[in-house]
Amino acid sequence: MNEFINFFAAEGEVLPFEGEPINPLFPATYDIVWSIIPLVVVLVLFWKFVLPKFQEVLTEREDKIEGGIARAEAAQAEADAALEKYNSQLAEARTEAAKIRDEARVQGQKIIADATTKANDESARILEAGDKQLQAQRDQVVTELRKELGQTSISLAERLMGEQLTDGVKQSGTIDNFLSNLDTVAPAGK
């Protein structure tokens, strides 16, 4: 390496580090110029191609976000409307259920009242039929008793009187007389 340095020194040229002192903070002018040119080219390319795409992506993203927010707000409004509609339908259903319950209660009371009326009517009809039947049986028993009592009284009267009562008029008069006397006689023990 020393030979290389000596070769350039023999020619009369100044070695790069042998001339003016080098400032490490400030580069040489040719380095600055050749550094600025690629930087400008990169900046122009960046400004021309990359930045518009980047701006387009940001704008698209912003639109998506704003659209998403708008859709979310619309969905929220729709959900609120659906909830309001549900609540109103629920209130209507509750009102209708209460109305149906009240109507059922009224109909139940009416059915009970009708059944009670029918039962009372049927009971009265049965009692009346029973009374009629009882009256008919009583009348039949009284008639039979009168007949038997009449026969018995005729037999008793024939024995007591010693004559036969075959005449129908005499027989009827005797029976009626006996029954009249029987009604007026007070029962024994009173």
Side-chain angles (χ1 to χ4, degrees), residues 120-135:
N120 288 340
D121 291 347
E122 185 68 17
S123 173
R125 186 188 65 76
I126 290 171
L127 286 175
E128 185 178 328
D131 285 344
K132 284 180 183 179
Q133 187 178 8
L134 188 60
Q135 185 66 33

Side-chain angles (χ1 to χ4, degrees), residues 5-23:
I5 292 176
N6 288 336
F7 172 74
F8 282 116
E11 297 260 335
E13 288 190 23
V14 179
L15 293 174
F17 296 114
E18 287 185 0
E20 55 185 74
I22 297 176
N23 185 356

Side-chain angles (χ1 to χ4, degrees), residues 146-166:
R146 280 184 185 255
K147 193 177 194 182
E148 284 181 27
L149 217 83
Q151 289 297 328
T152 308
S153 66
I154 289 174
S155 297
L156 188 62
E158 284 178 351
R159 281 186 197 169
L160 289 176
M161 293 168 79
E163 67 180 82
Q164 201 169 21
L165 298 172
T166 53

Side-chain angles (χ1 to χ4, degrees), residues 26-41:
F26 191 70
T29 307
Y30 68 90
D31 281 338
I32 292 174
V33 170
W34 285 110
S35 295
I36 287 178
I37 291 173
L39 180 65
V40 168
V41 169

Side-chain angles (χ1 to χ4, degrees), residues 167-186:
D167 186 17
V169 174
K170 276 184 170 180
Q171 205 176 25
S172 286
T174 306
I175 292 172
D176 289 338
N177 189 17
F178 181 73
L179 289 177
S180 299
N181 289 335
L182 188 64
D183 288 337
T184 58
V185 175

Side-chain angles (χ1 to χ4, degrees), residues 17-156:
F17 296 114
E18 287 185 0
E20 55 185 74
I22 297 176
N23 185 356
L25 295 178
F26 191 70
T29 307
Y30 68 90
D31 281 338
I32 292 174
V33 170
W34 285 110
S35 295
I36 287 178
I37 291 173
L39 180 65
V40 168
V41 169
V42 168
L43 283 177
V44 167
L45 290 175
F46 186 78
W47 188 269
K48 195 82 162 157
F49 298 108
V50 175
L51 197 58
K53 288 287 186 185
F54 187 71
Q55 190 64 34
E56 184 180 317
V57 169
L58 283 179
T59 304
E60 184 180 319
R61 224 167 180 198
E62 185 177 320
D63 289 344
K64 281 185 181 179
I65 290 172
E66 287 175 358
I69 290 173
R71 284 191 303 274
E73 288 174 353
Q76 182 66 33
E78 188 177 318
D80 289 343
L83 179 64
E84 184 66 32
K85 183 178 177 183
Y86 169 75
N87 285 338
S88 67
Q89 287 176 346
L90 183 63
E92 288 175 12
R94 285 182 178 159
T95 304
E96 189 173 334
K99 183 179 175 184
I100 290 170
R101 256 194 327 267
D102 291 342
E103 288 175 1
R105 191 173 294 125
V106 167
Q107 286 179 351
Q109 290 173 348
K110 184 178 178 184
I111 289 170
I112 290 172
D114 289 347
T116 304
T117 303
K118 284 181 183 178
N120 288 340
D121 291 347
E122 185 68 17
S123 173
R125 186 188 65 76
I126 290 171
L127 286 175
E128 185 178 328
D131 285 344
K132 284 180 183 179
Q133 187 178 8
L134 188 60
Q135 185 66 33
Q137 286 177 351
R138 183 174 175 257
D139 289 343
Q140 183 182 3
V141 167
V142 166
T143 305
E144 287 177 9
L145 280 176
R146 280 184 185 255
K147 193 177 194 182
E148 284 181 27
L149 217 83
Q151 289 297 328
T152 308
S153 66
I154 289 174
S155 297
L156 188 62

